[in-house]
Amino acid sequence: MSHTETNPPARPQAESDIPTTGWLVRLAPAWALPYIRLGRFDRLIGFWTLVFPCWWSAVLANPGLIGWDSLLVTCLLFAAGALVMRAAGCVINDIIDRDIDRQVARTALRPVASGEISVPAALVFLAMLLALGLAILSAFNRFTLVLAASSLVLVVIYPFMKRITY
């Protein structure tokens, strides 16, 4: 392999989709920043697209049948689960797409594509996120567990489907 195949050419930060400012970037320790970027904790649009339907369904599922304290706990669990599982999906996507991401200016500086985080380290991070997600999920009933587990199929096939669909 040539040098350019293993180390992509430097890309200007302006072309990248990675935020370089914000409270999380300013406050997080330097060692955590690559993992924050890998899990996309620095941009929460994916979190909101997951959590709002969860919150809406929690309210619709038992209108007036559960107390506000139970509803609050359920919504907090949904929020934590959405945050963790969105990050896990991003890690899976970045591991699978690392070779493509290296060739695209917008994604070349992502932690796995740039080599800032190795694939084994990303897999360990993914395992930790999935374990945390399972711990959160264990607070719910069996039906919720089955629904959540079945959604993992979509998370895993998403990066591959981008290659054959729009």
Side-chain angles (χ1 to χ4, degrees):
M1 283 188 154
S2 71
H3 176 70
T4 55
E5 290 174 348
T6 56
N7 296 324
R11 307 262 194 233
Q13 183 64 41
E15 294 178 9
S16 176
D17 66 348
I18 298 174
T20 57
T21 60
W23 67 271
L24 192 54
V25 173
R26 282 192 317 273
L27 297 177
W31 65 265
L33 285 175
Y35 293 96
I36 288 169
R37 289 193 299 269
L38 180 59
R40 312 288 198 282
F41 294 114
D42 54 346
R43 35 195 160 156
L44 295 177
I45 188 64
F47 162 77
W48 292 118
T49 60
L50 286 176
V51 79
F52 280 147
C54 292
W55 287 346
W56 186 248
S57 65
V59 171
L60 291 178
N62 288 309
L65 299 179
I66 62 174
W68 284 105
D69 53 342
S70 288
L71 183 60
L72 179 62
V73 168
T74 298
C75 287
L76 288 173
L77 287 168
F78 276 146
L83 188 69
V84 168
M85 293 313 295
R86 191 278 179 129
C90 291
V91 173
I92 291 168
N93 180 70
D94 284 9
I95 290 170
I96 293 169
D97 281 350
R98 66 188 178 276
D99 294 331
I100 294 169
D101 286 347
R102 286 185 187 113
Q103 301 170 28
V104 178
R106 182 181 64 82
T107 58
L109 296 178
R110 288 185 176 171
V112 176
S114 69
E116 190 175 17
I117 295 178
S118 68
V119 172
L123 288 170
V124 168
F125 185 55
L126 175 61
M128 291 171 28
L129 290 168
L130 292 174
L132 185 56
L134 183 59
I136 293 166
L137 189 57
S138 70
F140 291 100
N141 62 25
R142 175 178 231 118
F143 180 68
T144 306
L145 179 76
V146 170
L147 285 177
S150 64
S151 73
L152 289 178
V153 173
L154 297 174
V155 171
V156 171
I157 66 168
Y158 168 76
F160 299 106
M161 298 305 293
K162 291 186 300 184
R163 290 163 171 76
I164 60 173
T165 67
Y166 291 107

